[in-house]
Amino acid sequence: MHWSKKNKGIVIFLIVIVAVVLLCLGDYGLRYYDTPKEETYDYVGSGMLVGLANPQFYQQVPVEIHAKKAHFIWKNQEDYIQGNVWLDGEKIFGDEEMGFTTLFVKAEPSYSCITTTDGDTSGNMFLISKDLKNVLCGVRIEEEEFLLVVPAEDKATADGMIDNAAKQSQAFSWWLLEVYKDIIKDTVK
């Protein structure tokens, strides 16, 4: 079989086009594999501030939460959420827009929890349900520990959310035990 120069040129051109398309698809696939699908999470409303040293203290406060949730479609990495919480107009996880970042760890079926943050912030724990409906934040205000429960309109709802989170999140349970241990140390001194 004898190929003419015209036929060879067409075949080479088609091979180059196919190679470029395959490279582009491969590049897109790799980027898509590593890039999560992001969705925004915004909450503006009220929450319940619960005293940990004084469990009888409950106060309704204005709360804003602005965050981005990242979901990896290929499940090649853990999904995560990052953002900040405003309590009475003040950011509790530092001055940055993304004051906290926490992974949705597969070992925690319902919640994701970060239990340590920078010591310069009033927020020291962030817990969120995977459906983004329940949020609990550890907050230190004037050397006293509080738990911000969102959304909670009354004491019974806040207590129920705290109990539910403590049963379902091991990291949150450990944080509560540590805080209560510190509170007991401070009262014994």
Side-chain angles (χ1 to χ4, degrees), residues 24-44:
C24 289
L25 286 175
D27 181 57
Y28 176 76
L30 288 174
R31 289 178 197 270
Y32 191 67
Y33 181 76
D34 273 344
T35 305
K37 178 183 172 193
E38 285 189 347
E39 63 184 71
T40 58
Y41 170 72
D42 294 309
Y43 173 84
V44 177

Side-chain angles (χ1 to χ4, degrees), residues 63-115:
V63 176
E64 288 186 44
I65 303 171
H66 301 287
K68 289 188 188 284
K69 179 185 175 202
H71 173 67
F72 288 90
I73 295 172
W74 294 92
K75 306 284 187 217
N76 56 321
Q77 295 182 38
E78 300 283 0
D79 295 347
Y80 65 87
I81 189 166
Q82 61 183 10
N84 213 328
V85 179
W86 285 256
L87 175 63
D88 285 330
E90 298 288 325
K91 293 179 187 173
I92 65 171
F93 289 102
D95 291 334
E96 303 296 321
E97 286 300 311
M98 300 302 170
F100 66 82
T101 300
T102 183
L103 297 173
F104 286 101
V105 180
K106 290 179 181 133
E108 293 282 329
S110 301
Y111 289 92
S112 177
C113 183
I114 181 172
T115 57

Side-chain angles (χ1 to χ4, degrees), residues 4 10-11 13 19 43 48 56 81 94 98 100 102 111 115 117 124 137-139 143 165 174 180-181 183:
S4 68
I10 291 172
V11 169
F13 177 75
Y43 173 84
M48 188 69 68
Q56 303 307 316
I81 189 166
M98 300 302 170
F100 66 82
T102 183
Y111 289 92
T115 57
T117 59
N124 55 24
C137 296
V139 184
E143 301 304 317
W174 289 341
Y180 281 125
K181 188 171 30 171
I183 289 171

Side-chain angles (χ1 to χ4, degrees), residues 156-173:
T157 304
D159 287 341
M161 288 173 63
I162 293 167
D163 289 343
N164 188 34
K167 289 175 187 170
Q168 293 187 22
S169 173
Q170 189 174 21
F172 178 65
S173 297

